[in-house]
Amino acid sequence: MTREEHFRRLERVEKVARNMDRAFRLPLTRIRIGWDGLLGLVPGIGDTLAVAPAVWILSEAHAMGAPRTLLAQMAGNLGIDYVIGLIPLIGDVFDIGFKSNSRNAELLRAWLEDHHAAPGEGAPSRRLDAA
């Protein structure tokens, strides 16, 4: 897979992460919430449904050749989000602040930029919060 293909895939990962973690702004606040937080409000199945995009992000990282240590860290973020998200009310508040999908997208971007950087040059930087 070429550098350009990796960064195109990363852009899709970042878009999904934004939608899952910060798609909407709560009125009269600076707090952003995404589909992950909203789905988590549905008892029983909401948190489980929100795992699917998170697993897709993890599988994209694997397909791009991310090392096992990075995949383990990303899986840890996903697991923490899922397990704590299952706790009524506490999990819902946690979902708003933890933003595991964004954390994982940022980890993947950092690894790709390091992996594809030529000696003495950096890869193009684009923050997840930009859009």
Side-chain angles (χ1 to χ4, degrees):
M1 196 176 300
T2 68
R3 178 183 188 278
E4 290 76 24
E5 289 171 322
H6 277 147
F7 281 94
R8 271 196 301 274
R9 286 180 107 160
L10 176 64
E11 286 179 15
R12 288 193 302 268
V13 164
E14 290 174 330
K15 183 178 180 180
V16 168
R18 269 191 311 275
N19 285 329
M20 291 304 294
D21 290 342
R22 50 178 53 113
F24 314 103
R25 186 178 56 82
L26 294 178
L28 306 173
T29 72
R30 298 178 128 193
I31 299 171
R32 298 201 62 90
I33 188 170
W35 289 106
D36 185 10
L38 293 175
L39 287 169
L41 295 172
V42 179
I45 62 165
D47 290 302
T48 303
L49 290 174
V51 166
V55 169
W56 176 80
I57 290 171
L58 192 61
S59 70
E60 283 293 292
H62 181 265
M64 287 187 247
R68 287 184 182 174
T69 54
L70 177 64
L71 295 173
Q73 189 176 4
M74 293 173 72
N77 286 338
L78 192 162
I80 289 167
D81 185 37
Y82 179 71
V83 170
I84 294 178
L86 291 174
I87 302 168
L89 192 58
I90 293 169
D92 299 324
V93 172
F94 182 79
D95 272 341
I96 293 170
F98 189 64
K99 302 190 185 319
S100 66
N101 297 298
S102 295
R103 287 173 186 258
N104 286 345
E106 288 171 6
L107 287 170
L108 184 56
R109 173 168 285 282
W111 174 76
L112 278 175
E113 287 176 349
D114 184 54
H115 181 71
H116 285 292
E121 106 181 16
S125 182
R126 182 173 161 262
R127 293 250 339 144
L128 186 63
D129 296 335

